[in-house]
Amino acid sequence: MAEPKTPRFIQTWLADDAAERDAARAALLAQPASVAPKFFYDRLGSHLFEAITELPEYYPTRTEAAIFARHGADMAAAIGANIALIDLGAGNCAKAARLFALLEPRRYLAVDISVEFLRDALRTLQREQPHIAMAGLGQDFSAALDIPHELVGDARPVFFYPGSSIGNFEGTDALALLRRIRARASGGGLLIGVDLVKPKAILEAAYDDSLGVTAAFNRNALSHLNRLIGSDFAPRQWRHVAFYDDAKARIEMHLEARESLAVEWPGGGRRFAAGERIHTENSCKYTVEGFGAMLREAGFEAPRCWTDHQGWFAVFWAATR
Ligand code: AVI
């Protein structure tokens, strides 16, 4: 019997570890302090995020899946054939894998910052789908999008960015990322999931669930930082805070010091007063019109959009010449 194929794996992120550590320390020392949301995603954080997607309160994942189930054939017709599917923030690769039968990609390229987690997921997927050429890219595409040409070949590049992860970027950064994708998607396009504005109670429950999984996910960023910069955060001393800001149309997540405390790391440290917060994430919510306009501003043409019956979530297909 032939040997099972092993996907190619290229890691480009960890090359600049020192700069990452400097940026993380500077953000902790800033007023107010912050931790970039990418630090949620070490191996444990990726598993915690997987658990979040199963929570009854966290509607985005299942709502998006229902849109794909209902309109997938329509999307596939709009997207066309001979594609390389480039999955940004692939995680466990499950969302893309569910589209394989419809989109029939020739190549699948999974990009994620959580390298170990991605490697495990991709190996399993390649065994299940040996006819698709697969590769993994360990990359922080929030900084730069570097897709090696040989991994796409002569297929049409179709970027897949589901789950409303675009919402974790603020306005100008989101637009910059869309432009970076646009620049690499000639002859293909972008299939993207976007969470929509909805009543505050539904949004806040989704980011502060009753089992405390999102709280654990939020605090886990501190454990990840401890390993990265040698800090001595005690996650237990921090309270999970999540609220919806109507004016900014975004969920904000923070960690709030339960008491006055000090955090140290080699060569530095800082005191936090009781109640002082570290900002860990924004999750922006859009309107269909607002996001469509943003896609056009980024250079995509005539985006098409599908939503669920409650108008909670949207999937856009935006083609590029
Ligand atoms: C990955 N991202 C789209 C999630 C979101 O909904 O903003 C991350 C998350 N944060 C808390 N729960 C889920």
Side-chain angles (χ1 to χ4, degrees):
M1 215 165 77
E3 280 287 300
K5 274 204 213 166
T6 309
R8 230 175 119 186
F9 214 94
I10 302 172
Q11 190 165 305
T12 56
W13 180 52
L14 297 179
D16 205 5
D17 244 4
E20 284 294 333
R21 285 196 293 268
D22 286 349
R25 281 186 291 254
L28 283 176
L29 290 170
Q31 212 55 266
S34 65
V35 170
K38 64 185 169 193
F39 294 116
F40 289 140
Y41 303 98
D42 59 357
R43 191 195 279 259
L44 176 58
S46 297
H47 281 292
L48 286 169
F49 180 65
E50 239 184 347
I52 286 174
T53 66
E54 303 276 332
L55 292 169
E57 295 97 332
Y58 194 76
Y59 61 85
T61 311
R62 62 172 177 277
T63 309
E64 185 182 51
I67 297 172
F68 282 125
R70 179 137 190 240
H71 301 288
D74 226 10
M75 293 176 195
I79 293 168
N82 184 28
I83 67 167
L85 193 63
I86 305 166
D87 189 359
L88 299 178
N92 61 13
C93 307
K95 287 183 184 178
R98 279 198 290 272
L99 294 181
F100 284 173
L102 281 169
L103 301 182
E104 298 181 342
R106 280 179 46 204
R107 292 166 179 262
Y108 174 60
L109 178 54
V111 188
D112 205 289
I113 199 168
S114 189
V115 178
E116 295 307 319
F117 189 79
L118 177 62
R119 197 189 299 266
D120 295 349
L122 202 59
R123 278 207 187 113
T124 309
L125 192 59
Q126 179 75 87
R127 251 178 262 128
E128 290 165 6
Q129 308 267 0
H131 58 287
I132 302 175
M134 296 189 185
L137 255 187
Q139 188 171 116
D140 174 13
F141 56 83
S142 67
L145 188 57
D146 180 15
I147 308 291
H149 180 74
E150 76 266 22
L151 298 183
V152 177
D154 60 0
R156 296 168 50 233
V158 167
F159 285 83
F160 180 50
Y161 198 28
S164 201
S165 295
I166 190 71
N168 297 135
F169 294 85
E170 284 177 69
T172 49
D173 293 342
L175 185 60
L177 175 57
L178 291 177
R179 285 196 168 123
R180 280 203 292 280
I181 296 171
R182 163 70 192 86
R184 284 153 190 81
S186 294
L190 168 65
L191 185 65
I192 185 168
V194 181
D195 198 11
L196 301 177
V197 171
K198 62 184 61 61
K200 197 178 182 119
I202 296 164
L203 286 164
E204 290 189 340
Y207 290 83
D208 195 6
D209 63 277
S210 55
L211 284 177
V213 181
T214 311
F217 172 72
N218 198 5
R219 282 192 206 103
N220 179 60
L222 300 180
S223 306
H224 189 184
L225 267 192
N226 284 347
R227 286 197 310 280
L228 191 77
I229 62 166
S231 50
D232 61 355
F233 277 104
R236 234 185 261 278
Q237 293 179 310
W238 297 84
R239 192 170 78 83
H240 169 66
V241 176
F243 58 86
Y244 184 64
D245 183 325
D246 275 301
K248 293 180 176 154
R250 71 184 193 195
I251 285 279
E252 288 191 14
M253 292 210 319
H254 298 256
L255 289 165
E256 185 178 284
R258 292 186 196 274
E259 62 211 55
S260 154
L261 54 89
V263 179
E264 289 176 5
W265 52 83
R270 127 166 225 183
R271 288 207 67 81
F272 289 90
E276 202 171 342
R277 290 176 178 176
I278 302 176
H279 190 174
T280 50
E281 186 180 56
N282 294 318
S283 193
C284 300
K285 308 303 167 188
Y286 289 93
T287 60
V288 166
E289 298 71 31
F291 197 76
M294 198 162 161
L295 284 169
R296 281 189 292 273
E297 198 177 340
F300 291 96
E301 288 161 27
R304 285 192 61 183
C305 170
W306 296 265
T307 63
D308 57 290
H309 67 283
Q310 299 184 100
W312 280 9
F313 202 93
V315 175
F316 287 81
W317 163 245
T320 50
R321 265 191 233 163

